[in-house]
Structures are given as C-alpha cells and as structure tokens.
Amino acid sequence: MSDVGIAPIPQPGLDELIRRALAEDAPWGDVTSETFLPASARASAVLVAREPGVLSGVGVFARTMELVDAATVATAELTDGASFAAGAVLARVEGPARAVLRAERVALNLVQRMSGIATLTASYVEAVAGTSARVVDTRKTTPGLRALERYAVRCGGGGNHRHSLSDAVLAKDNHLAVLQAAGVDLHTAIVEARRRLGHTVHLEVEVDREDQIEPVVSAGVDTIMLDNFGPERLRAGVAAVAGRALVEASGGVTLETVRAIAETGVDLVSVGALTHSARGLDLGLDLEVSAGGGGRE
Amino acid sequence: MSDVGIAPIPQPGLDELIRRALAEDAPWGDVTSETFLPASARASAVLVAREPGVLSGVGVFARTMELVDAATVATAELTDGASFAAGAVLARVEGPARAVLRAERVALNLVQRMSGIATLTASYVEAVAGTSARVVDTRKTTPGLRALERYAVRCGGGGNHRHSLSDAVLAKDNHLAVLQAAGVDLHTAIVEARRRLGHTVHLEVEVDREDQIEPVVSAGVDTIMLDNFGPERLRAGVAAVAGRALVEASGGVTLETVRAIAETGVDLVSVGALTHSARGLDLGLDLEVSAGGGGRE
Amino acid sequence: MSDVGIAPIPQPGLDELIRRALAEDAPWGDVTSETFLPASARASAVLVAREPGVLSGVGVFARTMELVDAATVATAELTDGASFAAGAVLARVEGPARAVLRAERVALNLVQRMSGIATLTASYVEAVAGTSARVVDTRKTTPGLRALERYAVRCGGGGNHRHSLSDAVLAKDNHLAVLQAAGVDLHTAIVEARRRLGHTVHLEVEVDREDQIEPVVSAGVDTIMLDNFGPERLRAGVAAVAGRALVEASGGVTLETVRAIAETGVDLVSVGALTHSARGLDLGLDLEVSAGGGGRE
Amino acid sequence: MSDVGIAPIPQPGLDELIRRALAEDAPWGDVTSETFLPASARASAVLVAREPGVLSGVGVFARTMELVDAATVATAELTDGASFAAGAVLARVEGPARAVLRAERVALNLVQRMSGIATLTASYVEAVAGTSARVVDTRKTTPGLRALERYAVRCGGGGNHRHSLSDAVLAKDNHLAVLQAAGVDLHTAIVEARRRLGHTVHLEVEVDREDQIEPVVSAGVDTIMLDNFGPERLRAGVAAVAGRALVEASGGVTLETVRAIAETGVDLVSVGALTHSARGLDLGLDLEVSAGGGGRE
Amino acid sequence: MSDVGIAPIPQPGLDELIRRALAEDAPWGDVTSETFLPASARASAVLVAREPGVLSGVGVFARTMELVDAATVATAELTDGASFAAGAVLARVEGPARAVLRAERVALNLVQRMSGIATLTASYVEAVAGTSARVVDTRKTTPGLRALERYAVRCGGGGNHRHSLSDAVLAKDNHLAVLQAAGVDLHTAIVEARRRLGHTVHLEVEVDREDQIEPVVSAGVDTIMLDNFGPERLRAGVAAVAGRALVEASGGVTLETVRAIAETGVDLVSVGALTHSARGLDLGLDLEVSAGGGGRE
Amino acid sequence: MSDVGIAPIPQPGLDELIRRALAEDAPWGDVTSETFLPASARASAVLVAREPGVLSGVGVFARTMELVDAATVATAELTDGASFAAGAVLARVEGPARAVLRAERVALNLVQRMSGIATLTASYVEAVAGTSARVVDTRKTTPGLRALERYAVRCGGGGNHRHSLSDAVLAKDNHLAVLQAAGVDLHTAIVEARRRLGHTVHLEVEVDREDQIEPVVSAGVDTIMLDNFGPERLRAGVAAVAGRALVEASGGVTLETVRAIAETGVDLVSVGALTHSARGLDLGLDLEVSAGGGGRE
C-alpha cells in the first residue's frame, strides 16, 4: 500500500534523529537493564494497540529497535496508513532483552505520536468525505519532527501544505501589515514577486477581507487563503475567485465545523490541530519472554 | 519567581536545539519575507494569549527571536510559571521585520507546546491540592524536547521523575518478566542490584500485585510503583509499605481520577499525559508595525 | 540593490559552513602566522578585482573574516550583483594581522567561486536579453555549496530552478524509462501524481520526443522540459504546448547557442554550466600594513 | 594501479561529506521518485563518459550510491587515474530504482568535479613531461572538498603542496609585508622560526625580488617560492639558490606557459587553476531498465 | 564476568567518540601506510601487556579496529576487569595491514588509559579490603571521556559517584560560601531543596567542620561528605551521623592513607586521583605478519 | 611571552570541545546550583596553585568560564609557560555564582591536565639543558585533546613531533615488518616513497638495529629514529648518520635516563610519558564571595 498511496518516510537524517532521541533517553547507559537483566537474556515482544486508530511510524519503531542493537529484528504486521482495532498486533520484535527494553520508550514515543496524528487526520478526512476539499497540515509541527509529522498526516489521508519557509511563499496577515506600513500596494507587490520568484515556487497569499480577493487573485497567485471567513463568506469567496486560483480555508476549523467549511467549495482546508494538538495514541509493548513465559497477560 | 520556585531551563544544547528547528523551518531561506518585505522594514509585535493558561518557555521564545537576528530584542512581560487570562500580553518583540516573521512560527511552536504542558500540569496539580501526593511526569516526552518538557512540567507546579534511563533505576513489568523467565528471584535481584549500584542512583521497582510489595520493599528500594492498583488497593498498598519507601501510583490517571488516587496517601502520582497528550496552547504573535500602523484588527 | 533585486544569502548553516571550511584549512592552527607574525601586529587590506566581473559573496567574505576573530572588521565597497572593472576595490578589512591572513584563503576561495558563477551567469543573461526566456540553474552544484551557488546565480541575474529533490517534481528520462519498463502509461502516471502531490509542489516532466508533448501537457504539468530539441524543434514544441505549461529548454546550451534557443519562445533555459563549469574569478587580497607601509604595490 | 601509484581517498569524514551532500539534495525526500516510481522497481545503469578524460572519484561515486540504499551495488570498470575515451563505461550500478535515481545527481556532481580536476591536471603534467619539474596544487580548493580535490590532482599525475595552514609554513608576500612593517629582518625571522618550529614542519618562503633570495636561502628554508618571475628570472633564481633549497615557481602559470617555466630547472610549479578553474567533466548515468528495456538511446 | 559484575560500556556516542579520535589522528589519511604498505597486505597482531595490570577497554580497542575497516576482526582474549601479568596476550587482531596500523595508536591510547585507571583503582580497592568502605570516583575526569573512565573505575572494582551536575546534588564548600554570603541558613536551605528536588535526585552536602554535621544531617540528606577530616575526626563524624546518612570521606586520600580512612567506618571514600592522575598502562601491539614472519621479537 | 615563545592554542574547534565537555558535565542542568544558589548571587574566585608548576591552559580555563555565561569575566594573572610556586594566583573570575560554580569542574579539569603536562615537560627539558637535544612529544595523547596537549608540551619548553598520521611519515617497526613480509627492500621502498610524497611531507623511519642505519639514511630520510638503542649504541648511531639526517632517540626514556641519552648527540628525544602519564596538577578555585565574605579559609 505504501507503494502506491503513501510516499515513504524521508530517509536523510532519520537515523540521526533516532540516535539523538536514544542518546537523550540514555546519555550514559540504561542502568536498569544493565543491573537487572542478564546480558544473555533474549526477549520477544509485540507492539499492541490499546485503542483503535490509524498506524503511522511502524518503520520508525522498527528502525529504533535495530539502531540500539543490530541483533534485534523488528517486523511490521500492518503497514502505515492501515486502520486497526484495539488489541491489534502492529509489529513484532525479537532480540537481546537489554536492547529491546532500552529501545522501548523511544520507539513507543515516536510511533505513538505519529499514529496519534494519523488517527486525528483520518477523522478530519472522513468528516469531509464526498466534498472537493482536501484536509492539509500546517507548519505548526513539533520542532525537529516535521518530516515525520507530515508523513503521519499523509498516512491519515491528509495532504501536505508547504514543508518550510524555503519551498513556497505564503504571505500572511503579518507580512501584509508590514507591506502596508511601508506604503507598498499589495497587487503590485504580488506582480513583482511573481516576476522575481523561481518558476517552481508556489505563491499563496492570505486575506481576511473580501475586498482583498480581487487585487490578490488578479495579480496571479497560485492559492488564496481565506482566513476565518466562515462558511457563508467562504462560499462567496470561492465564487469571487472563480477558479483563477486554489482556495484555502483556514481558521476556526474543528471536527465540528470542518464539513460545513468543506462544503463551501474550497479546495483546501488547513488544520493546525492535526499536528499541534494530536495526543499520543495508546500503544504498548507486551513482552513474550522466551524461556519460561512471563509477560503482561 | 523563577529565582525561588522554578529551576531555569538547562542551557547546554538549547541554542543548538533552536538552530536545528530554525534550519528545519527554513533550510535555504524564507522566500516570503525575502520577496515581500523590504530589508529595512522593522516590526514590533506582542506575544498574546488567545486562551487562559500557565506560561512556560517565554525565554525560549525570546531566544529564538534573537538567534535569527541579534538585532531583535525580545522582552518577557510575565515569567514562566505565571497564570494568565485570554488576551494577556506575554512578551514583546522588536526588530527587523524579516527576522521577526522568519522566527515567528518556530518561536510559537516552542512556547505553545511548553505552555500547553504547563497548563495541563497545573490542572492536575490543582486537582490534588491539599493531599500529600505530588504530580510527576514520565519519560513519555517528545523525542528531542525532554529537557524543555520537564521544565514545562515544573512551570505547571509538577515534579520531575527521573530524566533518563541513565540516572535512576526503574524496573518495570517487562524487566520483571525477563527476570522471572531467567529464574531469578526478585528480592535477591534487588538486594544484589543495590550492592552494585552507585550510591547516588535511586532504585525503584514497579509491581502490579499485592504479593510483590513485601519482597520488593524489604529488599531496600527507594520507591515502589503500584501500577494500576486503583484507589482501594492503593490505600492498602500504602499501608503495606508503611513508610519504608516512597509510593508511586501510575496507570489510569486522568483529571477525573487523580484526586481519588492522591487521597490514598501515595507520595507520587505519575501522569504520562502531561507530556504525551498536552495540546499546544493558543498563543499568537500580533504585529504592531512601526511606520504607519497596520496590525491585525 | 539587494534590498529589491536579490534575496539575501540564506543564513541557516552559513556560519557552520564557514567554520567547517576554516577548520579544513587550519585543523590545528596557522603555523605560519603564529611563527612569523607578532601577536600584536595589525593589518588592513583590500579585496581587489584582478579582472572585471559581477560580484557575489562579499558578505560571505566579510563573515569569514569576522568568524576567525571578532576583532576584525570587514566592509563591502560594492553590493552583490554589482558589475566591476579590473582593479576595483570590492571590500576592506581591518584587524589583527594573524587573523586576517589566517582567514584570507578561505574567504577568497568562497567569494572567487561565487563571483565566478555570477559573472558567467551574467554573460548568459546578457546573451538572451530582449527575449522572453529566463536563464536558470540546475542541481549540478558543488556538494555543500548549493545555497551559495544558487544565490550567486541570482546575483548574476539568473533565476533558480528547484532547490532540491524535495521541493519540486522533475521526472526525467531515467524516471520515464523505469515507468515504461514497469508498463505504466505516462499520461496516467502524471494525472495520478498530480492528485497525490501537495498543492504547492511544482510538477515538471522532461521529454525528448515530440509525440510525448501532448500526453504530458494534457495531463496537467506546470512545466515541460524539452531536452536537446534544438531551435527548430523547440519552436514547434512551444507551439504545441500552446501556453498550457511553461516550456523549459535544456541540453546543448552554450554561450554560442543560447540566444537562438531563447528566441524560440521558450520560457526557461536551464544551464548546468553556470555552476558546474564556472571558474573562480581572479580576486586578491592586497595588504596595506599600518605601521610603516609595505604591501603589494 | 592505485596500489602503487595513487594513495587512496582519505576515509575519515568521507561518509559524512556524502551524507551531507545527500541531505542537501533531498532534505525531506525525493518527491519525484516517491511519486512516480514503484517501490519495487529496480534499475541498472552505467556511468558513461561523454568526453575523454582521466578518472577520479569512481569510489566516491560508488559509495554515494551505496549510502542511499545498502541494497545498491556499484562496481568500478576503471580505476582512478585511468585515461578513457568518450563513450567509455566507467562504472556499473544495480539497485532499487528509487535509490539509484535519488543518488544520481550527487554521485555525478562529485565524480564529474573530481575527474575534471584530474583531467586538467593531466594536461599540465603532460606539458612538462621530460623536465625535472613537478606540477603541484595549491590551497585554492572548494571549501569542504579539499581532501577529494587533492586526491584528484594525484589521480591526474600531479603532486600535492601542503594540505593546510597547519602542516607546513609558507610565508607569503602578505606575511613579509607585516614583518617589514614591524621592523623585523626577514633573515633573522626565518632563523628564529626554524629554531622554534617542530622538526617535521616544512618551511617555505615566497619572494618576488632577486635580492630576497640569498637572505632567505641562507637562513635555511626547505623551499623558496619565486613568485611571478617569468622564465628568464626563474633560471637565474635557480642558479642563485644552487641546490640549497627546492625552488617553486608560481604565478602566471597556464597551459601555454607551463613548459617554459618547467624548463628553467625549477623543482615545483604550483597551479591554482588545477582546482579553482577546472570544469566538471561530462559524465552521465545511462539507465538500463531490467524489465522491458528503456534507457536513453 | 561482565555479565554479572561490570555493567557494559554505555553505547550511545561511543562510535562517534572513536570516529572523532580517528579523525583527529588522521584528518586526511595515513600517509605512512598509504605510501609504504601494499594495499593487499594483511596483518595479524596481538595486544600484549608489557606490565601487569587490570584490563579495561578491550571492547573499545576492538571497536576502534573495526571502525577503521569493517574487514578487520578483533577478538578479546580476556574480559574487562580481569587481572593479567606482564606478557599476557589481551586481544588479537587480523585485517588489512593499512587498517590495523592506521588504527593502532588510537586503539592503544584508549585501552592504555582505561586500563591505567582500572589498575590504579584496583590498588585502592585492595587497600581497603575488609572494611565497609567503597572506593568511588569523582568528576575529575578527562573532558570527553567521562563515561569510559567511570566504566574503567568499575572494571577496577571501584564504585561510581554521580555522573554529572545533572543527576545528583552535591553542595560543596563554594556553594555553602555563596549561601552564607546571601544570608541563607544551611539547614533551611537543605530542607527547602529536598522539598523541591525530584524524588529520584540524591542529595549530598559537603562539610569541613564538625558543627556543620548536625544541621546538615537533620535536614535530611542522603549523603554527607566530610572533607579533609583525617581518620580521627572521621571516626567522630561517623558516630555523629549515626546512620542517618551515608558518610563520604574526601581529601588527602592516597594509597598510603586510604586504609586508615576506610577503617573509620565511612561508607565511601572518593579519590580524584583514580581518573586525574592515572598513567597509561604499558600495552603494545605486536605484529605477526602472515607472509614470511617479521614482527617484534 | 606567548607573543614570541609559544604559539597560541589553535582556535578551530576549541569552543566546540569546551561545549562538549560542558554538556558532558551537565547534560540537563546543574541541579545543585539551580536549587541552592539564588539566581542573583554573584561570585568572584581565584584560580590558585596548590603545588608549584608550569602554567598551561589559562586561556582555556577562562574561555570555559565565559562560554557558560557571557556575563562572567575571567582574567589571567600569569601567561602560559610561566613557572609558579604553590599558593600563586593564576587567574581571577567574576560572574554569576551559578555560572562560575557550574563551569568550575570542567575549567579545572582542562587547566589541571594541561599544566600537568607542561610541568612534566619542563622537568625533562631542564634535565637535558645544555645538550643539543630537544625533548619532543608523541601521538600518545588523550583522544580528543591532542591540540591542547601538544600546546601544553610547548608551554613546558618541549617541541612537537608530527601532529597526526596525515602530516608526516613515520615508518615504524610494524610497517617494516609488513614490508619485509611482502618481500620489499627497505632502501628501495624509501627511495620510491620520497619520489611520490608531497615535497612538504617530512619522512622519518624507525630502526632498531645498527645495520639498518646506512640503507635508511642513504635513501634520503629527513629523520631516523633509533629505537631502544641506549646511550652507547646511540652515540655510535649518531656517528654513523654523520649529519645526513636528524637523529631521534626513543624508548626507555625516563627522567633518570634522559640526560645520558641527550648527551649522545642526538637531535631529538621523544617522550610518550609527557602526555600519556602526566598527572593533573593540583590547582583549585577559591571563592571570594562578594556580599559578606565566605570563601575557603
């Protein structure tokens, strides 16, 4: 499924991110495992869902296990993007007990956060099903985890907005205020910007008043963001843009309001909550000790 | 207040963390500001609360602003740990417009997350007011942000559990399962561990059955964790421990259940949700453009 | 001028890049300066053009000087993007002699390379003056220096193509060959890609045959690249595209051929040579020793 | 051949350099490959010379391929230092199509630059064949790539000058100017420097006037650099030095002038152009898709 | 033995530490091996003790060998913590001659320093045998090597004090002086600190006068350090503490004085010399060249 | 004095080294200072010698103080290379009490180790006074601290051998053994190496038998090392070399034997003990609390 539907997690830096997280969690060793567990003990364990959700980060979970000790083998039972019920087994791990328990918390922290985002995203996506609107993320991500969190949004069926300040223009209210204070006309500024920007750079401008729509759209933007317009004004905005640019709705989007917003005909609904307010999904690692049993039954 | 009540944010690595976040958010420049804003434009702005809460990270917010451009000056209006109402001004910023807007999102992402944790923590702390129990965090933190998130917990009035796997022992169910499978007696294992551990290392063991309490406590632990005991069994557990070790309650702790748990006489209540499920607090940056007005209204 | 015409050099990582270059050039100190020069000696120097050209990187030159010793002051005499004649003074430096001479080579290596690129770019831009075509760069940059080299292209009046594999799609001959081998229809693949890609991602496809144009353009690309078409076929290609996408010419572009290519009506001419074959411009640092003269007259 | 003639590329830091280049070229993934190519598609490809030259960096090319995906296998067909004709196959690659195409540009950028330097060096070396002079490089290298570029010079048959400011002394015109301004006698300064320098540190001084030769050589230098002397004065200079030190010619060295300079009897001719003005050699990656053909013809 | 007695070397960062040491020792290659040794030559060698001692770091020695070239195989003959006589073979290495000789010095530098510490520690531990006192280290370690040096202390039979300023409190004379200057009562300060500190944080206070003991101990510390008390006063101090806290002796501890100190009944004797004044143990690498002999006989 | 006699500590990487040491010593803050000391408390302190010695690293000490908090001011009372008696004040510090105490241990660890090396070196240098021999260091340095330790040797009046494997050739017994096993003649190998090596690379070969001297010296080495020859054989060796190369004595060098070795006429005596077996000099930080006194007496 990830073959066709979900682009894989970007590799560059992933190992470094995991190693940094592991070092943060054990800067000079895992004193519990080293003290209590025989070096020769092995453990097998399952990653289990304690509540239903959408999976994201099972590969990150597995990679974390492997980076602690190459002798650990982790196998996914489901692929990212899959929905699961409470109790579902998501992955299996087998390796030296000290390594598995030393990696446990970091591996869980990552997959729980990513699956939390995917699950929340999926609920928004489901809420707008059948409309022409796409639910997209924002730059309100956790510092250091943006690539993973954007991937999690894709796992939940959402779309990605720009990745960073470098790859697309989004002139927001604060930019417009500076322009205005400097006495620069917005329409002119956009025309000039278009001329100077690289041809691959997407150009989007945020407006919060109807009278800004025409000057912005006629200057040639790729997307216009209508901020805090509400369903009624959004519908009028979509009509005013008249297909000359993509229309993005933002502001005041909740699971309760998103469908009404999507039904106005906007192309995009951006939802900061997907990343800044998702809670970690409740996943756990249940040990199945080889020699003699035990575990968490 | 931070002078007496809240230990400051640990410095080592803070600048590096912020720089990494800034690079993530603008790997090759801020194309919007560079295209739309005159290099000479200046901006002043205020960090405003859009909902009530407890502040944490105002220094991180300010440092982020300064790291983008040393010509930016950011001043806190409140100190970390302070409660505020919606509409409160938390900090002021003044500097080159390009720098302020380029730093905005990263600075907000950090202070919103930290204040979200402080605010959630404060609600748990308030819920147990008057009992002898202390609300403490866990290792369920965002990879890369542990020091900041533990600081945010302190800002909210909570306490910190161990920082990492390196600085204290916490033998959990999975460790006990490995021990059992290896045929090692728990009491003996603890006695032996105590003998070998450095004298500064705190030793804690988690149990989920009453009959584990005596062998664990009599072996000489500093803290015993009673996992998922529920109020009634907790009360019995506290009696069984009889002051020979600190008692920590964990599992099933919510804002609804925490007071009943705290009233059982336990010393510590650990709450993973403080960090893994806090949502970002709604804070915003409102521009007050110097030359000629503007802003957000 | 950089205020309106040239976006500034992206800051994140610039200091780190310079520090790495300085460490490469003096991993354990500058044995010549430390042995021959009194610690108290000061030096003033000028960055002089030994041939005409277009300036790029004067800020990087200055920053390199300052990073070796904060007591060094470097001032630009011209701004990036300015043309200059042989003999022109481009910048002035004043500071401890040991620091100035220790920084000299690294500072020169950077500004010489960047100005070489700007100068070469300017000659291409001049060659197409009056046509509707824009000269743009490629990803054929020096590993580690991409942001600086793309900036140098802008200083020379050129435009930037995508920055990296992450921020825009460019399906090239090798991608198409894989698709074909996998039995995937190109038109269908593009339609599907558009559906899945983030809305800010620019979509470009390279073709090397006329019969590929219609399936590609009708699938909805932002830009079509006509590879190695030559002026005549380019003109026909532009007609076939008929304004439905930007047209980029690539392959076989030299200072001799570029005008004929530009006159075919294409929107973009991409030139790998701008970065992979620019030679360093001949700039030098002439010392003006304070106490008693000397220097290079 | 590299066994006897060319010392291998220094390993420390090579992987890090490549990883940094890969991250620069795809900070958050390769959106083209991830969108267009099936994850299961495989590709085989050949590194082909589009013009004649001397090979350098085939191991770096291969290592880049492998670092993107350990499942990729790259094999050299020629060894570094070998000459080849246009059309020659230099290396073969086989691996996941996404990995091969994601690595392509970075791998090419490196081997093209290195082979460009080796090829230019070889032309200088050939030009002085039969004389006693050795063509050597300078510190005018690309920041971050010095070890690779010095290696490329060796592949072209050239010699290496000092690596950095740390490992040998080279007092140049600017140092002498500072000394003079400080009222320090050059001969005395050299004698004193020799006394203080570690015994393994090579000591070289640059002069641009005949009357400087005797004081410098009699003070005991290892090498004297005659800067911009021209063939006639060089011949006289060599006679004046009379074997008491190595003689290095620098300044004004081009492919046209180098032989006349070499024939004056100097030991070394240093050529900044070897590294600062070599253009990338035209090498390409031609795909040979397994299932069903394709490729570039 | 390391299974039960000695916790393993903390992994996070170990490879990075070794790589940094290797880069320091060969920033751009090993010119001797590359020039003198055939690339195909192989070497086998033994790590030999030239004096008796206690082993520590044999795994670090082996890992260093492997990191230079994965084709090198290093095998320990003894485990860390083992005592050996002069002439003992501690490990064996087999691999490419260039790699083995390039790694030799760094590998030796590490294992010699670590074994030097283990050997010195063992002599202190032996000196206190039969008493109740444990010999522990301090923070007087080599910058960058703390985790390795603390591990070496464990190999020698010693115990570890706190790892860093972050994981335990140790209020020393200088802290007390600041408190006193600020007019803060020590007893009160400790009581307040205990209330605020995380429950896992060990709390220790240093005193240098008898009259400080009661206020400190009655405030509830985990350990009290009696600095420079000498045997007689230590005995009195132990009696005054009366089991309410651990007692640590520090200051003036040498191999001559340590037993008398230990016999006073203190729980801990901290010895800075274990790490700041251990000399490198004399270990060497003896080559056993495969084809034809040679070596060091 | 450092102006003429001692080259300064190499800067590149020094701050990074110190920051790494500070992070090692306080990965998440200094819990003692943060808990016990008022944020507003200030402290002044002196770096005091508790035993006589030679100073090295006072700048590193000061820089460490400043890097913790830019508000701290540290001033040297003596310069590196100066001798001092017990009780001497070496530097003064003034700043926030929390910063001074947080930096104390790292700053001391560095200056104590460096001054220990300088002091030991000075004793060797004094022992050979009046002979023609120079005492030099080896590569037996602490991993990560080589530049600092070589600098410390210079402060003690010693000389530096090569810095690393990259900047000079030293073919040792193990290299010769590999050569011999490969059937390569040593004389021929040296002649060939000389031809291929860069002209700035110092070439040294170690021998342990008299009959190796002539083949080595006649091949054209810069230095010949006579390993473990003892005074008598050294004298003969010096005669045999007859000024054709520098002669270095190594092996079995102690404070007792060094003078006899130096009197044989060798040019260099290399002493591994300078760095691998120097103990930290006893230096301390005595607080002089501003408000009201305190301190250590």
Side-chain angles (χ1 to χ4, degrees), chain A:
Chain A
M1 166 160 195
S2 94
D3 199 335
V4 296
I6 299 169
I9 302 175
Q11 285 297 330
L14 179 57
D15 280 10
E16 191 188 337
L17 183 154
I18 294 174
R19 284 210 179 87
R20 204 150 45 210
L22 288 168
E24 179 188 59
D25 193 44
W28 61 91
D30 173 1
V31 68
T32 307
S33 290
E34 292 161 8
T35 307
F36 274 90
L37 307 185
S40 57
R42 297 190 68 81
S44 59
V46 287
L47 176 64
V48 176
R50 308 217 192 284
E51 60 175 321
V54 175
L55 184 61
S56 179
V58 71
V60 178
F61 171 88
R63 185 67 182 149
T64 304
M65 286 288 170
E66 294 164 5
L67 281 177
V68 168
D69 190 329
T72 304
V73 176
T75 326
E77 290 290 310
L78 292 178
T79 56
D80 281 349
S83 295
F84 52 78
V89 170
L90 309 175
R92 298 185 183 280
V93 185
E94 207 287 323
R98 285 180 174 181
V100 171
L101 294 194
R102 185 250 174 283
E104 174 184 5
R105 186 73 264 144
V106 171
L108 283 174
N109 282 352
L110 286 163
V111 70
Q112 288 185 263
R113 175 156 192 83
M114 293 175 70
S115 296
I117 290 172
T119 303
L120 181 60
T121 301
S123 68
Y124 275 90
V125 170
E126 189 181 5
V128 305
T131 72
S132 61
R134 187 182 207 179
V135 171
V136 298
D137 55 22
T138 67
R139 282 168 47 240
K140 297 178 180 177
T141 56
T142 311
L145 302 183
R146 182 166 294 171
L148 296 188
E149 295 189 348
R150 279 164 48 95
Y151 169 79
V153 166
R154 294 199 297 275
C155 292
N160 290 143
H161 209 296
R162 64 173 171 170
H163 182 90
S164 74
L165 292 173
S166 299
D167 58 297
V169 165
L170 176 40
K172 310 198 67 173
D173 56 347
N174 280 342
H175 298 93
L176 270 51
V178 174
L179 275 183
Q180 185 182 348
V184 181
D185 172 63
L186 180 56
H187 179 86
T188 312
I190 297 172
V191 169
E192 168 65 9
R194 176 61 96 192
R195 198 183 60 72
R196 287 169 50 199
L197 285 168
H199 64 285
T200 67
V201 178
H202 193 88
L203 174 48
E204 174 168 359
V205 174
E206 169 187 322
V207 302
D208 49 18
R209 296 196 318 272
E210 279 81 354
D211 66 337
Q212 293 171 306
I213 294 178
E214 190 54 33
V216 162
V217 171
S218 65
V221 296
D222 296 304
T223 299
I224 184 168
M225 177 193 286
L226 307 184
D227 189 45
N228 276 312
F229 265 50
E232 213 158 326
R233 290 168 65 213
L234 277 175
R235 205 174 304 265
V238 169
V241 175
R244 290 174 292 170
L246 296 175
V247 179
E248 173 179 347
S250 79
V253 184
T254 66
L255 268 174
E256 285 68 43
T257 64
V258 68
R259 180 150 196 103
I261 290 170
E263 288 177 339
T264 61
V266 297
D267 302 286
L268 303 154
V269 184
S270 55
V271 187
L274 298 187
T275 49
H276 74 55
S277 293
R279 61 175 181 76
L281 206 69
D282 195 2
L283 311 179
L285 189 75
D286 286 354
L287 218 64
E288 299 167 329
V289 182
S290 21
R296 194 182 233 266
E297 68 297 308

